[in-house]
Amino acid sequence: DYERITTLGQRLADGLERLFRQHELPWQAFRLGPRSGYCLEATLPRNGEQAARSMDTDFIDARRVYCANRGVWDAVLSAGPQVSLVHTAADIDRYLDVAGEFLAEVVA
């Protein structure tokens, strides 16, 4: 099961990076097995100070509310989505659809 959710985590990170490129954002999606998320910098952080710069609490709060209002749970407050043992590829695709809609609204 861990291998399956790690593969879904890669699908999630790849999808987020596609969205960032689509919206011309210089951001990265980090990859940690079934976890991925938004790094609001051009390079992934290497320490806590850099990680703090790569986060924006207003952006996180807005994203989480936007997702929740569309029936999608954005699990980790400080980072973003987490694939669970019950998630499917369709769940990941749904998250990415909602994330794309959110980015279209906030970067327009």
Side-chain angles (χ1 to χ4, degrees), residues 53-103:
R53 286 195 310 261
S54 76
M55 295 171 43
D56 178 314
T57 56
D58 291 336
F59 174 81
I60 293 166
D61 290 346
R63 184 186 73 226
R64 293 184 82 220
V65 169
Y66 189 94
C67 286
N69 284 335
R70 286 150 185 82
V72 174
W73 183 247
D74 196 339
V76 183
L77 178 65
S78 64
Q82 161 88 39
V83 178
S84 78
L85 293 172
V86 298
H87 281 120
T88 65
D91 295 320
I92 303 309
D93 294 344
R94 172 74 176 131
Y95 179 90
L96 293 169
D97 288 344
V98 172
E101 293 166 7
F102 172 72
L103 289 174

